[in-house]
């Protein structure tokens, strides 16, 4: 089991550029979450997919953020245009079985720096 | 709304001493409670969970946690801390009447000195 795989590990970009973060969940997991971690706000849930369908995107901060899950093994989080305040660590997490009592499996995150 | 409080930003203990990381929660229904640990430049790793049953839950790496409904607490404990336990610890709660959303505490940094 390779775990949740995120790429890239680090991304440095200039304000206004498009950024795409990628996630491969654990095989067989049917729920996928995108979180953002900052010192100021801690862990924030951005969006939740179940069976590749977005269930709740109320945490997506602005229209500049979008997420897709075209199939069970791949998801992307896109920021266009990026701004310095988007700088954070972005985590993808997946879980199988019941989403209520099953633990989340996190990737190692993408550290995004927008200058 | 559900919420979690971790009253201590930092906990410092000597190796071999007991370690306690505190967590209190607030939910409208019955809670599902979780502890996660985060090492530098890594994602969160699951340690243990309380769903139902025994109030004392045992988890990975020798950690355990005690669910106390009257005090709405779920403190994480380890009888004898190791230097390698130094990390950031998160408590999380899910209100079973509020489906999938997991609320995380702000985290507690544990430092175990040799």
């Amino acid at each position: 089991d390779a775990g949740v795989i995120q790429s890239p590990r680090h991304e440095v970009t200039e304000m206004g550029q498009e950024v795409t973060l990628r996630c491969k969940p654990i095989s067989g997991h049917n729920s996928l979450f995108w979180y953002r971690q900052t010192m100021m706000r801690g862990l924030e849930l951005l969006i939740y997919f179940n069976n590749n369908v977005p269930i709740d995107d109320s945490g997506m901060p602005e229209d500049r953020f979008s997420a897709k899950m075209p199939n069970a093994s791949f998801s992307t989080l896109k920021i266009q245009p990026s701004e310095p305040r988007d700088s954070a660590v972005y985590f993808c997490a997946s879980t199988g079985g019941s989403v209520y009592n099953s633990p989340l499996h996190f990737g190692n995150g993408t550290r995004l720096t927008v200058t | 709304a559900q919420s979690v409080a971790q009253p201590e930003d930092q906990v410092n203990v000597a190796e071999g001493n007991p370690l306690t990381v505190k967590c209190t929660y607030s939910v409208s229904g019955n809670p599902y409670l979780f502890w996660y640990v985060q090492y530098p430049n890594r994602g969160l790793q699951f340690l243990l969970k309380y769903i139902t049953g025994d109030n004392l839950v045992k988890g990975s790496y020798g950690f355990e946690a005690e669910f106390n409904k009257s005090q709405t607490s779920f403190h994480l404990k380890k009888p004898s801390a190791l230097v390698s336990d130094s990390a950031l610890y998160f408590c999380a709660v899910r209100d079973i009447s509020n489906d999938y959303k997991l609320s995380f505490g702000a985290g507690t940094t544990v430092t175990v000195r040799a």
Side-chain angles (χ1 to χ4, degrees):
Chain A
D1 182 356
V4 175
I5 299 173
Q6 291 187 246
S7 63
R9 287 298 311 273
H10 303 273
E11 178 79 45
V12 180
T13 191
E14 292 184 348
M15 182 174 63
Q17 297 299 305
E18 176 180 298
V19 175
T20 299
L21 312 181
R22 296 172 174 79
C23 174
K24 177 179 169 58
I26 292 173
S27 178
H29 282 189
N30 61 348
S31 294
L32 184 139
F33 301 78
W34 282 98
Y35 282 88
R36 177 170 69 176
Q37 185 179 37
T38 60
M39 290 292 291
M40 292 293 294
R41 301 172 70 91
L43 276 161
E44 302 174 275
L45 175 63
L46 300 178
I47 188 168
Y48 158 51
F49 290 89
N50 184 256
N51 291 325
N52 314 337
V53 176
I55 302 300
D56 183 356
D57 64 356
S58 60
M60 297 285 263
E62 300 170 35
D63 290 345
R64 299 184 295 106
F65 286 69
S66 62
K68 295 182 179 180
M69 192 164 187
N71 57 62
S73 59
F74 185 64
S75 177
T76 60
L77 177 67
K78 186 178 293 186
I79 308 172
Q80 166 64 20
S82 58
E83 296 183 4
R85 60 195 167 119
D86 302 330
S87 297
V89 181
Y90 291 80
F91 288 104
C92 175
S94 70
T95 189
S98 168
V99 73
Y100 304 106
N101 60 24
S102 299
L104 298 181
H105 297 260
F106 284 78
N108 284 329
T110 295
R111 182 176 296 277
L112 173 65
T113 303
V114 184
T115 61
Chain B
Q2 60 201 37
S3 65
V4 172
Q6 293 182 241
E8 298 161 319
D9 291 337
Q10 292 195 359
V11 170
N12 299 306
V13 298
E15 189 172 35
N17 281 2
L19 169 63
T20 298
V21 187
K22 296 179 180 178
C23 171
T24 59
Y25 66 89
S26 175
V27 296
S28 55
N30 290 323
Y32 288 167
L33 293 153
F34 302 80
W35 275 102
Y36 290 83
V37 60
Q38 185 179 27
Y39 298 100
N41 301 313
R42 301 294 297 274
L44 280 69
Q45 296 178 31
F46 168 72
L47 278 179
L48 51 78
K49 66 178 179 181
Y50 171 82
I51 303 299
T52 187
D54 235 349
N55 290 343
L56 184 63
V57 179
K58 294 188 183 298
S60 306
Y61 312 123
F63 283 94
E64 58 187 30
E66 186 165 11
F67 171 64
N68 188 317
K69 188 171 184 178
S70 63
Q71 297 186 4
T72 61
S73 67
F74 189 57
H75 300 332
L76 181 70
K77 300 180 181 182
K78 186 170 184 179
S80 178
L82 301 172
V83 172
S84 57
D85 293 327
S86 299
L88 181 57
Y89 290 80
F90 290 94
C91 182
V93 67
R94 179 178 286 128
D95 185 337
I96 63 173
S97 65
N98 193 28
D99 57 84
Y100 57 86
K101 288 191 174 178
L102 193 61
S103 295
F104 286 90
T108 299
T109 299
V110 170
T111 302
V112 182
R113 61 186 184 276

